[in-house]
Amino acid sequence: MASSFTPYSPAGAAYSSMMRRDLASTSTAMDTDRAGSGPAAPSTLQAAPVGLQAVPGMVDGLAGEAAQAVEVPFKRVRKKMAILLMSYSGTGFNGMQIQPDGGTIENALLDALFAAGMITEENNKKIQTMNFQRCARTDKGVHAARQVVSLKMAVDEPDIVARVNAQLPAQIRIMAYMRAPRSFNAKNQCTGRRYQYLAPSYAFCPKGPLTEADLSFRIDEEKLALINTVLGGFVGTRNYHNFTSKKTAEDPSAMRYIVSFECNGPVVIDGVEFVKMTVCGQSFLLHMIRKMVGLTMAIVRGYATVDVMETAFGPAKLDVPRAPGLGLLLDACFFDVYNRKYKNDKDHPPIGWPELDPAIDAFKHENIFSEMVKTEVSERIIFSWLDTISCHTFEAHALPPSADDDESAQGSAAAAGGAAGAAPGPRWVRSRCYSTACTSDGRCYSTMCQQLDQIASRKRKKYNQRGFGAQHHRKRPKR
């Protein structure tokens, strides 16, 4: 016998619930009448509803709820991993990353995606459910020309870019989108980032209080060469624990690699001369670029010497000035490894969008650079901050020795005593890489010493677990 399948509907569910209550009440009435004097009156059952029509005899509340549920049909959003290319002006926003109180770029983006039907309400409240990631977390007031984010969203809808932009403010634009592999992560697969900092030329004027006459300061070739010399000192692998917050010199994550850092020729906008500094690197720490720019301004103006840079990269703590975020711009994100991997894949084109460069450059000049110049001319943010550089002493403050340093010193002394005939020191004391930095009194931060530190840390942990020596370690009995 062939069986028929009836799909679920709210009206049918309400009707079934009513039927069960009617049958139960009818059965109870019949049992009561059998026990009494007279027979029970036959109960009349209504026919099942057809389509979405109301059922005679139904409870008004159930009928109203069923009709209301049917009026708003459930629509499932089929989501796939996608990549969005964004351009935005950070003025008036509290940074890029989503915050519970709102007011960030991501809050505005997620609200627009939800209003356009690209994500569900659960995705809007919990971004972990759609694997949301961004290439860079820009600070408050920082802008972006080519920010890339990845998330699971509806990709089969027509005119996605136009529909999302219709829900966004004018200073945030979605430039393009594309499908991505299921495991794509914008943060982890980004191999490099490029930032630009637009600074007025009077930020590099000679040492002293700024006056209105300094607004007409112009940079010559000699001053531009000095700026590029200072910026060249950041190129390479350095320890940037003094250029961020809540990091120590021993933290491996403080090591960063800068590919290039240079200053271009000046340009005059609204009577004020500006220079543009461009830095490329693998990744950057919190406030890192702003402190690099701030230290460069302090050195060029004469408040500090070039030797301060080597001190800042060392283990000592140094107070580095932090430039305002007004002139900072995320210019581009690079995906070299991804593009090489999928260069022959037709379904996943390379990430770059060179055809959108004219549109992005127009957005930069109309919404970002013009806003930077207008704000600086009217509010004098960088002009006022330059007077605070004189409050910095640029003196290194030695940190108190930690327990690991004391153990290393004791182990080195014991090893030296062992060479003279005393007991040998612990086996976990790391060796030297025999570079110039290792032979000095300061601690070495070369790549080889970083690897030796990791090896020594593992040996020290194993040594301590065994009770300070293999001779005190109780061997586990064999079974």
Side-chain angles (χ1 to χ4, degrees):
M1 179 178 180
S3 60
S4 61
F5 172 75
T6 304
Y8 172 81
S9 65
Y15 178 79
S16 300
S17 178
M18 183 270 295
M19 287 289 296
R20 286 194 295 268
R21 287 197 299 270
D22 287 348
L23 290 175
S25 60
T26 303
S27 177
T28 305
M30 292 176 65
D31 294 340
T32 305
D33 291 339
R34 289 193 189 99
S37 58
S43 61
T44 59
L45 300 180
Q46 300 292 339
V50 179
L52 301 179
Q53 297 178 357
V55 181
M58 289 183 62
V59 182
D60 295 339
L62 292 176
E65 294 177 1
Q68 184 178 4
V70 173
E71 288 177 0
V72 184
F74 173 74
K75 180 181 178 181
R76 181 181 179 183
V77 180
R78 296 186 59 186
K79 295 176 295 182
K80 301 290 184 180
M81 184 61 70
I83 303 173
L84 296 180
L85 177 64
M86 298 179 58
S87 299
Y88 57 82
S89 172
T91 304
F93 288 93
N94 297 325
M96 172 68 182
Q97 191 173 13
I98 187 172
Q99 299 293 337
D101 300 334
T104 65
I105 302 293
E106 289 183 3
N107 286 116
L109 173 63
L110 295 179
D111 292 341
L113 290 172
F114 174 66
M118 302 297 126
I119 60 175
T120 62
E121 184 177 3
E122 181 183 7
N123 299 145
N124 191 15
K125 295 180 179 179
K126 298 180 180 179
I127 62 175
Q128 298 85 358
T129 58
M130 56 179 176
N131 298 338
F132 185 91
Q133 280 293 345
R134 83 289 294 172
C135 283
R137 294 178 293 181
T138 53
D139 299 339
K140 179 180 179 180
V142 178
H143 319 280
R146 295 177 180 86
Q147 173 74 279
V148 178
V149 299
S150 61
L151 74 159
K152 288 184 177 180
M153 55 174 283
V155 296
D156 298 331
E157 301 292 334
D159 300 331
I160 293 180
V161 175
R163 290 173 58 180
V164 177
N165 284 334
Q167 306 294 333
L168 286 171
Q171 60 189 110
I172 305 177
R173 295 288 92 181
I174 301 296
M175 294 297 181
Y177 91 100
M178 67 169 58
R179 287 283 304 274
R182 184 182 303 176
S183 60
F184 183 82
N185 187 300
K187 176 185 175 182
N188 297 337
Q189 294 184 285
C190 181
T191 56
R193 292 128 177 120
R194 183 176 66 206
Y195 283 84
Q196 293 179 350
Y197 194 94
L198 188 67
S201 296
Y202 55 75
F204 301 97
C205 66
K207 181 179 180 181
L210 294 179
T211 61
E212 292 294 330
D214 294 325
L215 295 177
S216 59
F217 179 81
R218 297 294 184 261
I219 291 181
D220 53 8
E221 294 296 333
E222 182 180 358
K223 183 74 70 172
L224 186 61
L226 176 59
I227 296 174
N228 283 315
T229 301
V230 177
L231 295 179
F234 294 102
V235 177
T237 303
R238 300 286 189 270
N239 191 312
Y240 286 93
H241 72 99
N242 280 320
F243 294 83
T244 185
S245 59
K246 299 181 181 180
K247 283 191 183 296
T248 60
E250 292 78 12
D251 193 343
S253 62
M255 303 295 295
R256 300 288 159 156
Y257 174 65
I258 302 300
V259 179
S260 64
F261 203 174
E262 59 184 4
C263 180
N264 299 328
V267 58
V268 179
I269 305 176
D270 294 340
V272 181
E273 187 180 78
F274 288 84
V275 293
K276 185 167 57 178
M277 292 171 282
T278 305
V279 55
C280 296
Q282 288 182 343
S283 58
F284 299 90
L285 299 169
L286 178 67
H287 305 321
M288 177 177 166
I289 300 177
R290 294 167 61 184
K291 288 200 172 188
M292 293 164 68
V293 173
L295 183 60
T296 302
M297 293 178 179
I299 294 175
V300 174
R301 295 194 64 192
Y303 286 99
T305 61
V306 183
D307 299 335
V308 175
M309 296 183 63
E310 296 300 328
T311 306
F313 296 141
K317 196 65 179 176
L318 185 69
D319 186 18
V320 179
R322 183 178 65 190
L326 173 64
L328 188 58
L329 162 71
L330 173 63
D331 188 45
C333 301
F334 303 100
F335 299 85
D336 297 336
V337 177
Y338 174 88
N339 291 339
R340 286 197 300 267
K341 181 179 180 181
Y342 293 96
K343 63 180 180 180
N344 296 325
D345 193 342
K346 297 181 180 179
D347 296 332
H348 302 100
I351 303 176
W353 297 285
E355 67 278 2
L356 295 177
D357 288 346
I360 295 176
D361 291 339
F363 182 88
K364 286 169 57 177
H365 289 85
E366 295 175 3
N367 297 275
I368 298 179
F369 288 153
S370 61
E371 184 68 24
M372 290 180 182
V373 175
K374 178 181 177 181
T375 305
E376 177 60 26
V377 171
S378 60
E379 302 181 13
R380 306 284 180 85
I381 294 178
I382 300 179
F383 183 87
S384 303
W385 171 83
L386 290 172
D387 291 335
T388 64
I389 297 181
S390 59
C391 301
H392 298 266
T393 60
F394 300 99
E395 295 180 357
H397 302 280
L399 299 177
S402 60
D404 293 340
D405 295 337
D406 294 340
E407 292 177 359
S408 299
Q410 294 175 4
S412 300
R427 292 176 296 173
W428 50 263
V429 177
R430 75 168 178 86
S431 59
R432 295 281 186 174
C433 70
Y434 301 104
S435 64
T436 306
C438 268
T439 56
S440 61
D441 295 335
R443 186 170 181 179
C444 179
Y445 292 95
S446 64
T447 305
M448 183 177 295
C449 269
Q450 292 292 327
Q451 297 175 355
L452 292 174
D453 281 337
Q454 296 176 2
I455 297 174
S457 177
R458 290 194 294 266
K459 289 184 178 180
R460 179 170 62 250
K461 184 177 180 181
K462 184 182 296 185
Y463 186 85
N464 293 336
Q465 289 177 350
R466 292 184 176 182
F468 300 96
Q471 64 272 18
H472 301 289
H473 178 64
R474 181 180 298 177
K475 295 183 178 180
R476 184 176 299 177
K478 295 182 179 181
R479 293 183 179 179

